[in-house]
Amino acid sequence: MTIPTAADHKRYFIDTLGVSERLMERCLGEALSAGGDYADLYFESVTSTSIGVDESLVKSASQGISVGCGIRVLSGERTGFAYTDDLSPERLLRAARTAALIASGPAKQQVQGFTSPTTPELYPVAGASTDAEIAGKLELILRADRAARAYDSRITQVRAGYNDELRRILVAASDGTFASDTQPLARFNVFVIAKDGTNTARGSSGGGGRITIEYFETVKTPEHFAREAARTAILQLGAIAAPAGEMPVVLGPGWPGVLLHEAVGHGLEADFNRKKTSAFAGLIGQQVASSKVTVVDNGIIPNRRGSLNVDDEGTPTRENVLIENGILRGYLSDKLSARLMGIPSTGSGRRESYQHITMPRMTNTYMLNGEDMPEDIIKSVKRGLYAVNFGGGQVDITNGKFVFSASEAYLIEDGKVTAPVKGATLIGNGPEALKYVSMVGNDLALDEGIGTCGKSGQSVPVGVGMPTVKLDKMTVGGTN
């Protein structure tokens, strides 16, 4: 395990891939040759491994390498973009000319001298995979398979998988930005099916982050994830039908923060607000939630799935306060939105790969601790729902309306958590729902490291979290 320096990150592209600073300057000059306010080059090299086991048999195994460069030119609100998987000078200059012609405009900027930002080192970087490491990864998966089957005889099917990647990036821009990073990412997943007669239930669990394989030996083991998936499935076998109607809802700590991510976080991304398609557009400085609610997006938490030393525009990430004591304080912005809206860039420019353009995205989004004891929050509810874990969900950014399905939930009766329920959905409006937050626990937890966020056809890794939270009323969809 090594902690490379910023110079090490850059040397990979210069020494290994043969991309010199002089070539980068030529490409930026070519990108701005037809006019434009700004241009950047995003070099990327990714090595990845994926292994899947189904019914104790290896059903998939792959390793891959991807290398390329995306070239972007901004002219006002126009974006010219081209990419190439060939890093020869001829292909890079051709891509730069293509992007220039798409975004041609009257302004013409000069390329400034490169300056490297000072960035933290938030995560360790492992070396390239070896055959022995592949064997070790497979053994982790088989351990999960065995542990899930041993949990209960009613577990009838087990699928498990391991995925990791090592992503190297270098960003060179006409404003002088010259930043690089090496980003590890790993994720472990377990899915099970349980049967009891004609009754069938499913359970899943997983985790990871910007970590090395040692994490799954020393912090969260395959047995941990296997038992959690099996526990959820067995629990659902005995669950009763969820109630329906308006009632108090208590959200558990950790992964239920995905509701906050979807119902509120996307609406606070600057591009939606610049275009006035977000329910939060024009509301900075106004009360948008209960005074007990403070929401942050934090890209500098060590080893977290959504963390980055620099974003995909070369801007150092940071902690951004979005909602403070119920007051909307700001949006998540990339360089384009920052310039057009006259606001700072928050280090939130992200992209799926060199083949995609940058847009404002979340990193690790969560609600801060309150002062209430979690047990007091439960005791305060006469009859309601306690939602511990969530599956899928949908949200309409324009009005904030959302629908989420709870994969693990319980009744609250007379201040006590009682029977598990199945088929529960939470229906509401993000900005409105936050106004009904009446109690916030002191037990903030982040998710296990499984979040992947989709936007405009692009997927990026993210983190979510929250403490135990009580909403005085929310519409619950159920079958009872």
Side-chain angles (χ1 to χ4, degrees), residues 24 34 59 72 147 155 160 202 210 219 281 291 293 323 367 409 421:
M24 296 179 209
K59 290 297 180 72
R72 179 178 61 156
I155 300 296
R202 294 171 171 80
R210 298 200 179 278
V219 182
S291 61
V293 173
I323 298 174
M367 186 186 298
V421 300

Side-chain angles (χ1 to χ4, degrees), residues 148-343:
R149 295 179 188 281
Y151 185 87
D152 193 290
S153 61
R154 290 170 290 179
I155 300 296
T156 61
Q157 185 175 344
V158 180
R159 293 203 306 267
Y162 177 91
N163 301 273
D164 66 16
E165 68 176 34
L166 191 64
R167 180 184 305 265
R168 296 177 173 91
I169 69 165
L170 188 151
V171 181
S174 60
D175 63 1
T177 297
F178 192 53
S180 58
D181 197 14
T182 302
Q183 304 162 352
L185 189 67
R187 175 173 165 169
F188 198 96
N189 299 287
V190 184
F191 172 83
V192 305
I193 295 178
K195 289 186 179 180
D196 189 357
T198 59
N199 194 8
T200 301
R202 294 171 171 80
S204 63
S205 180
R210 298 200 179 278
I211 52 175
T212 62
I213 193 170
E214 286 79 10
Y215 176 89
F216 300 107
E217 293 282 4
T218 60
V219 182
K220 292 292 178 69
T221 65
E223 289 79 11
H224 163 79
F225 297 121
R227 288 191 290 265
E228 182 62 17
R231 181 195 66 81
T232 304
I234 296 300
L235 182 77
Q236 291 298 308
L237 287 177
I240 63 175
E246 191 174 83
M247 64 188 72
V249 170
V250 176
L251 302 175
W255 180 247
V258 68
L259 190 150
L260 188 73
H261 168 103
E262 294 288 357
V264 178
H266 276 298
L268 297 180
E269 291 166 340
D271 50 350
F272 293 129
N273 289 278
R274 173 169 59 87
K275 299 171 185 176
K276 302 191 184 303
T277 56
S278 167
F280 292 98
L283 298 183
I284 287 182
Q286 298 187 33
Q287 191 92 24
V288 297
S290 160
S291 61
K292 293 180 177 290
V293 173
T294 296
V295 178
V296 302
D297 184 87
N298 188 352
I300 57 173
I301 309 174
N303 304 118
R304 295 301 306 181
R305 183 171 168 84
S307 295
L308 295 165
N309 291 320
V310 294
D311 72 0
D312 294 330
E313 293 179 311
T315 304
T317 56
R318 66 187 199 187
E319 180 179 352
N320 297 291
V321 178
L322 302 177
I323 298 174
E324 183 179 30
N325 299 325
I327 305 296
L328 180 60
R329 294 302 185 194
Y331 304 126
L332 296 172
S333 61
D334 59 354
K335 287 184 177 180
L336 174 61
S337 293
R339 186 170 69 251
L340 294 176
M341 297 177 72
I343 60 177

Side-chain angles (χ1 to χ4, degrees), residues 4 31 41 90 132 198 215 226 287 346 373 381 393 405 438 477:
L41 315 174
E90 295 77 13
T198 59
Y215 176 89
Q287 191 92 24
T346 59
M373 299 294 291
V381 178
S405 60
S438 61

